Amino acid sequence: MTDTHSSSIHVEKARNSELLTQTNANTPCGEYMRSYWHPFMLESELKDLPIAIKLFGEELVVFRDRSNRIGLLHKHCAHRGASLEFGIPADQGIQCCYHGWKFDIDGTILETPAEPATSTIKERFRQGSYPVRELHGLLFTYMGPKGSMPELPILDTFCNPSDNQPVPFRVLMPCNWLQVVENACDPIHNAFLHVIVSNQFASSFKVLPALDFVDTPIGFLSMATRNVKGHVFVRASDIIMPNIGQFTGASNNADKESFRVGCGRTRWVVPLDDGNCHYIGYVHFNEKHKPYGTTTPEDYGVERAGFIGQTDERPYQERQREPGDYDAVVSQGLVANRVSETLGVTDRGIVKFRRMLTTAIMAHTEKSKPDFPCPVIYQGVMRTYAHEYALKIQDPEKFTSVDALQVLGKLAALAVVEGQFKDLPAQDIESETKAQILKLINETHP
Ligand code: FES
Ligand SMILES: [Fe+2]
């Protein structure tokens, strides 16, 4: 390889990395991501005072007016730029502290009290604003073009089983959003980071798995298939474009049979700017999956993610002795250096995500509507695909090789994906899919 050739590869890698990691306004990735709703804080955080926040590099202020309506406005007042974090919430909207201009939650200027009565400022100008919706205790906003605002997505995992209680939480990650998403596309780290160098996941995760990355209508499944104690043990996480992940628990020992289509956690990775993001979402509590994990709803909230190693709260030396996701991912750097990385075959989930994201960004830039995600909606709810099971292998000679496990895991994942197209309630699909997977385990000849 000539020096010129290798330096042009470096330039190309650096450009690709910039394309995927830069999310401010008017960047291709930033504009693509603005075409989705994103959660930005817990509803319970917002009390009587406004709060200054950052989202996708934009400085904003969120507030609750005295009629209990929530507004999200550009931080700096349209008059001469005082921050609305010092504004006074009014019966309708918020009043700037400096000269009393009053803004409604949609940015309409309601009053300019020191200006003459004949002033037309109110008709000609407005404060920048974004819509806000509350769902299960999280506040969401949409920062894309007004004319193409999608519905706020309701995922099947929020309401299946029907007694499910989504409990909101958020954690600040002081690094670029992409490396947090890539962590979820990397199931092999569960064996090393979470078991071999610690005891964070059940010992079943220590067995090195067969990996696969199976397409779904909304992204792909990041899956690991293992033979543990005579069971096929599969953990398949949803990677949903562009920044949602859904994961089952970490405590399944695979020593007895279990089966679920669904997840224990739904999270978004939302850029505040290119060096900070929120890991924000819900943990799902319901009777059916109660044995999963040992945490309670009280373990989740602001800077509380219910699992060791998700923040920097532990003493530094303790984190060195038993590092967690936070330590591995944040220590990659503010923006992980993707020019000098050395990818192996176990990194194919990461490569797949980068390709999908690049395709989606380019499609959005060119046509302003990417071909995917293309969700299946059943009775107003988006179908998703995360699943986890441990099912007994009748013939112990089967599935002893990584190749055989990979074939089985993939066929079983396709059964989950195809099942979700059926015009049936989720619980019926779950039992049908389980029967189909049992058949695959017992009748497939590796
Ligand atoms: S700066 Fe806000 S009213 Fe003057
Ligand atoms: Fe992890």
Side-chain angles (χ1 to χ4, degrees), residues 157-363:
T157 43
F158 299 175
C159 43
N160 180 43
S162 56
D163 68 339
N164 187 56
Q165 185 198 356
V167 174
F169 73 99
R170 75 166 171 86
V171 168
L172 175 70
M173 301 286 279
C175 64
N176 185 260
W177 79 286
L178 183 61
Q179 62 220 54
V180 182
V181 171
E182 287 182 350
N183 186 45
C185 304
D186 168 26
I188 203 79
H189 90 268
N190 294 333
F192 288 93
L193 180 70
H194 294 307
V195 189
I196 293 169
V197 303
S198 71
N199 282 312
Q200 296 167 358
F201 277 28
S203 58
S204 50
F205 285 86
K206 193 173 187 174
V207 177
L208 287 184
L211 303 182
D212 217 326
F213 304 92
V214 175
D215 286 331
T216 70
I218 46 181
F220 62 92
L221 287 165
S222 173
M223 60 186 300
T225 306
R226 294 169 163 91
N227 180 335
V228 182
K229 299 172 190 157
H231 295 90
V232 174
F233 175 43
V234 166
R235 186 181 195 249
S237 306
D238 255 322
I239 305 297
I240 304 174
M241 299 297 292
N243 61 341
I244 307 178
Q246 295 205 115
F247 314 99
T248 57
S251 59
N252 194 335
N253 258 316
D255 49 5
K256 56 178 186 297
E257 290 206 309
S258 60
F259 189 90
R260 78 184 295 188
V261 176
C263 72
R265 178 181 296 228
T266 305
R267 73 94 185 93
W268 286 253
V269 183
V270 181
L272 310 187
D273 53 34
D274 292 339
N276 292 282
C277 58
H278 271 156
Y279 185 108
I280 179 169
Y282 305 110
V283 171
H284 303 291
F285 286 91
N286 53 69
E287 279 300 314
K288 188 175 171 188
H289 298 298
K290 221 174 174 180
Y292 277 84
T294 54
T295 60
T296 65
E298 290 66 45
D299 296 317
Y300 298 91
V302 177
E303 291 300 319
R304 283 184 296 132
F307 193 67
I308 188 170
Q310 305 302 300
T311 65
D312 67 354
E313 69 184 344
R314 293 182 301 150
Y316 179 61
Q317 289 191 351
E318 193 184 315
R319 289 166 48 205
Q320 286 184 295
R321 291 200 176 90
E322 190 186 345
D325 287 304
Y326 179 97
D327 307 301
V329 171
V330 173
S331 69
Q332 287 178 290
L334 210 56
V335 180
N337 185 342
R338 294 181 177 79
V339 175
S340 62
E341 66 187 2
T342 312
L343 297 179
V345 288
T346 54
D347 297 307
R348 14 193 232 290
I350 284 154
V351 173
K352 186 175 177 98
F353 182 79
R354 290 180 192 169
R355 284 200 183 126
M356 277 183 141
L357 181 61
T358 305
T359 306
I361 292 170
M362 299 319 282

Side-chain angles (χ1 to χ4, degrees), residues 35-104:
S35 62
Y36 295 90
W37 285 89
H38 300 281
F40 61 93
M41 68 192 292
L42 274 64
E43 190 264 350
S44 59
E45 293 179 74
L46 187 58
K47 307 258 177 1
D48 58 327
L49 292 174
I51 300 176
I53 62 166
K54 237 180 173 190
L55 266 184
F56 291 94
E58 291 187 35
E59 293 193 298
L60 305 167
V61 165
V62 57
F63 67 97
R64 203 188 276 280
D65 74 8
R66 293 216 198 104
S67 309
N68 213 20
R69 300 176 314 151
I70 296 174
L72 182 61
L73 299 179
H74 285 185
K75 177 176 168 177
H76 296 287
C77 173
H79 177 215
R80 279 179 38 229
S83 171
L84 292 177
E85 74 197 284
F86 299 107
I88 318 297
D91 288 341
Q92 185 183 358
I94 190 168
Q95 190 149 31
C96 179
C97 65
Y98 205 6
H99 314 95
W101 286 26
K102 193 158 103 177
F103 306 103
D104 206 348

